[in-house]
């Protein structure tokens, strides 16, 4: 599995630079029959470019280019649409809560957007989850209940399909506006989305996994875009058993990854951590494990002979006198 994943990442890495999808995420929390809160945000892959101020009912553009080529009037129309949507959504869910045996508190998540595929086609999607489990999705304008959602999901889908106008609007947003916006925002944010930032890498040892064993940790941080390749190597040979952490975001839109290897203490010397990233243009970062050993080695190889030489010289001088 990890192998396949990294192969995929490597493929992506050569094919695309930067994000390829836009999605709006809705998180609605229903605390009790009278209290609900909606959160909204807009993302290019995993980079957030928009927020939603639910008090004022307005979008927050987190980047100067987050609007793409959507005009201010269109932004105002969309904001109004979302205000109405959040209001009606909350009302409808609260209205149907007892019929659907939804027990407070519960949370509903929605994700909708569009994605640029290789070849230039753009595919739209919409999925909903209840309490963290898939609940429904939309395919070809049809609500498809998720198996995890059981009968509740099926009834809910049948109900939703009666809201013809809402479905028409959602379809327009997903199939017309989203692709247009995605292309324009990928263009307006190009300088930032397609930038190349070099990683920094450093080594440390983690908590010992057991007696006589070492946990070697290779940290790689501050790189952009996301695809990266980090391995522990012995010469040109990849070491098996590497654990990769999740890719974690830094605040400045760069990423962090850790690759750890559990080895017998005697086998650590000679291992190196190798990092490949598009920003490095083929100049891989290679860090060798074993600084304590090399300091010891320097001591033995340089300082001790120098001391011996000094002592010899001193003795020689003394004898000549
Ligand atoms: C509903 O939940 C909110 C937020 O947790 C709380 O402040 C409020 O008192 C609750 N109302 C009732 C009627 O339980
Ligand atoms: C949606 O439409 C496409 C092409 O028209 C078709 O290939 C696909 O199977 C359809 N999906 C569903 C769930 O009907
Ligand atoms: C916005 O950008 C998209 C994609 O580049 C384009 O198709 C559309 O015509 C543009 N709209 C306006 C109003 O400029």
């Amino acid at each position: 599995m990890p192998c396949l994943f990294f192969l995929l990442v490597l493929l992506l890495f050569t094919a695309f630079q930067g994000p390829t999808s836009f999605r709006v995420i809705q998180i609605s929390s229903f605390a009790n029959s009278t209290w609900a809160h909606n959160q909204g945000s807009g993302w290019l892959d995993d980079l957030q470019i928009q927020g939603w101020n639910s008090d004022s009912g307005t979008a927050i553009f987190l980047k100067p280019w987050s609007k793409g080529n959507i005009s201010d009037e269109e932004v105002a129309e969309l904001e109004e649409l979302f205000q109405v949507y959040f209001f009606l959504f909350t009302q409808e869910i609260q209205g149907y809560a007892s019929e659907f045996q939804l027990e407070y508190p519960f949370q509903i998540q929605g994700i909708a957007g569009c994605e640029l595929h290789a070849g230039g086609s753009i595919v739209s999607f919409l999925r909903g989850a209840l309490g963290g489990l898939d609940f429904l999705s939309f395919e070809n304008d049809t609500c498809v209940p998720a198996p995890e959602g059981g009968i509740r999901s099926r009834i809910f889908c049948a109900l939703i399909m009666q809201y013809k106008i809402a479905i028409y609007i959602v379809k327009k947003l997903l199939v017309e506006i989203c692709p247009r916006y995605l292309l324009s925002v990928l263009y307006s944010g190009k300088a930032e989305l397609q930038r190349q930032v070099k990683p920094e890498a450093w080594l440390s040892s983690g908590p010992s996994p057991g007696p006589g064993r070492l946990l070697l940790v290779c940290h790689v941080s501050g790189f952009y875009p996301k695809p990266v390749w980090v391995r522990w190597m012995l010469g040109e040979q990849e070491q098996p058993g590497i654990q990769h952490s999740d890719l974690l975001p830094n605040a400045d839109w760069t990423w962090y990854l850790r690759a750890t290897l559990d080895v017998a203490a005697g086998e650590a010397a000679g291992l190196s951590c190798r990092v490949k990233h598009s920003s490095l243009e083929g100049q891989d970062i290679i860090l060798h494990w074993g600084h304590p050993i090399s300091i010891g080695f320097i001591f033995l190889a340089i300082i001790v002979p120098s001391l011996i030489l000094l002592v010899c010289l001193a003795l020689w001088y003394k004898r000549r006198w």
Side-chain angles (χ1 to χ4, degrees), residues 68-71 74 179-185 187:
N69 67 358
I70 302 262
S71 67
E74 269 183 301
R180 181 159 67 84
Y181 172 68
L182 173 64
L183 291 180
S184 78
V185 82
Y187 183 77

Side-chain angles (χ1 to χ4, degrees), residues 290-308:
H291 280 274
I293 291 163
S294 54
I295 288 170
F297 183 76
I298 289 168
F299 184 77
L300 284 176
I302 299 171
I303 313 231
V304 172
S306 309
L307 278 177
I308 292 171

Side-chain angles (χ1 to χ4, degrees), residues 173-193:
L173 285 174
L174 286 180
V175 180
E176 272 177 41
I177 298 179
C178 187
R180 181 159 67 84
Y181 172 68
L182 173 64
L183 291 180
S184 78
V185 82
L186 289 181
Y187 183 77
S188 61
K190 198 159 99 176
E192 203 166 342
L193 295 169

Side-chain angles (χ1 to χ4, degrees), residues 216-228:
L216 314 187
V217 187
C218 182
H219 308 257
V220 184
S221 188
F223 54 92
Y224 183 94
K226 204 175 179 182
V228 70

Side-chain angles (χ1 to χ4, degrees), residues 31-35:
N32 50 46
S33 58
T34 54
W35 194 95

